[in-house]
Amino acid sequence: LSRLTFRGSSQMSLISHKRWALWRSCCQKLVFTRATMFQLGNTSIRRTRTNFAWRVNIFLRQLWSPPTLNKFVVKFGLRRKHTCHVNRWVRFCAASRARHITLDFTPGAKDIACGLADDKYIFPLHVSNGPDSSPVHIKSLHLGYVCLYTTTGFNAFANLKKLTLHKVSFLGDIQHLLLPECTALEWLSISCCSLPGLTLTSCQPLRRLHYLCLHYCYLKKVDLETPNLTSFDFINRPIPFALGESLKVMEANIKPLVRGTPYNL
């Protein structure tokens, strides 16, 4: 996708059905960013959130039926008012059984100061939790500048290996949202997230976890059993943390910040 101009991708709809089917079978990575959706130097089209969403929708509509995807990436500063568009893309990911999903709506530097938590898109965990859309195919999930909310009993991502959460707001307890079911986790990064009064824990050991990163998070304490952890990266205010008998740690970067240090969430 990144090698095609928008005009070029639109012209693909005019080729023969046979070649179109062949192109679909090769389309395993979809990356939608400012660079891929807006031609450099073209000032005739405003690079607005609405135009970005409109262009993504046009491209996905041309695929007719979802192909089997290896990667689906959207990086653009979208907001909650674009929920109808993003929900459609999430359903597309579920239908195409995308293995690696990135939805990063972190605003640019000039917009980050005016961003509000109640303006963040609410990631619909239930979309991939239906009887016909089990999330077992998802191997990695990167969420940026979204809200997470679910109800008790959420049957989460059993085969998820890599989880990245950046500037995520939680409408519930993270241990009830994700970690109890993520026993296959190998890589966990949580940065610039607000989890006030919360203990990051899991009801069972994360035996496959090798890398744990916690940066600039409002958190009460960390209490995880990670017997095979090899790398721990911690930049935060001082909080109690226990990682069980993590005897295999080979690299630990621990930088406690001064109490009262503000976080730019």
Side-chain angles (χ1 to χ4, degrees), residues 106-118:
T106 305
K110 66 178 182 179
D111 297 326
I112 193 67
C114 57
L116 300 175
D118 59 2

Side-chain angles (χ1 to χ4, degrees), residues 5-227:
T5 64
F6 185 74
R7 176 180 296 179
S9 63
S10 299
Q11 291 174 344
M12 293 295 290
S13 61
L14 302 178
I15 65 178
S16 67
H17 177 77
K18 184 176 181 179
R19 290 187 177 182
W20 178 256
L22 178 62
W23 180 80
R24 284 186 67 255
S25 66
C26 298
C27 186
Q28 296 185 349
K29 297 181 181 180
L30 296 179
V31 180
F32 301 103
T33 64
R34 181 182 297 271
T36 62
M37 300 309 291
F38 296 105
Q39 187 176 359
L40 184 64
N42 186 352
T43 59
S44 61
I45 299 178
R46 296 181 61 194
R47 301 183 181 187
T48 63
R49 300 183 181 107
T50 300
N51 281 340
F52 178 87
W54 176 75
R55 285 173 166 244
V56 173
N57 289 336
I58 286 181
F59 186 89
L60 295 182
R61 197 175 297 126
Q62 294 181 58
L63 293 179
W64 297 341
S65 60
T68 300
L69 289 180
N70 181 52
K71 179 187 292 186
F72 185 90
V73 176
V74 176
K75 289 187 176 182
F76 204 81
L78 301 177
R79 297 292 181 270
R80 188 172 299 182
K81 65 181 180 180
H82 305 103
T83 292
C84 61
H85 300 294
V86 183
N87 280 355
R88 187 180 300 121
W89 306 340
V90 173
R91 288 192 294 269
F92 180 89
C93 286
S96 61
R97 302 183 65 80
R99 292 163 56 88
H100 306 282
I101 300 174
T102 295
L103 295 176
D104 190 347
F105 305 139
T106 305
K110 66 178 182 179
D111 297 326
I112 193 67
C114 57
L116 300 175
D118 59 2
D119 196 29
K120 293 180 179 179
Y121 167 74
I122 300 178
F123 182 74
L125 291 168
H126 64 278
V127 170
S128 57
N129 194 38
D132 300 323
S133 56
S134 173
V136 295
H137 57 276
I138 300 177
K139 301 299 182 183
S140 70
L141 180 64
H142 180 132
L143 298 176
Y145 207 77
V146 303
C147 284
L148 285 180
Y149 174 80
T150 188
T151 57
T152 304
F154 171 68
N155 184 16
F157 307 90
N159 292 326
L160 189 67
K161 293 185 177 181
K162 183 175 181 179
L163 175 62
T164 302
L165 303 176
H166 178 66
K167 290 187 178 294
V168 172
S169 299
F170 295 93
L171 306 176
D173 295 337
I174 186 173
Q175 67 264 33
H176 293 153
L177 290 174
L178 296 168
L179 294 188
E181 302 293 338
C182 295
T183 55
L185 265 184
E186 299 176 0
W187 201 97
L188 174 62
S189 175
I190 305 176
S191 60
C192 300
C193 295
S194 180
L195 305 94
L198 178 67
T199 297
L200 181 63
T201 185
S202 178
C203 59
Q204 52 187 315
L206 300 177
R207 300 188 181 279
R208 299 186 184 183
L209 192 68
H210 296 295
Y211 175 82
L212 175 61
C213 174
L214 294 172
H215 284 184
Y216 307 105
C217 293
Y218 288 108
L219 192 63
K220 183 179 180 181
K221 68 177 181 178
V222 177
D223 187 5
L224 295 172
E225 189 172 345
T226 56

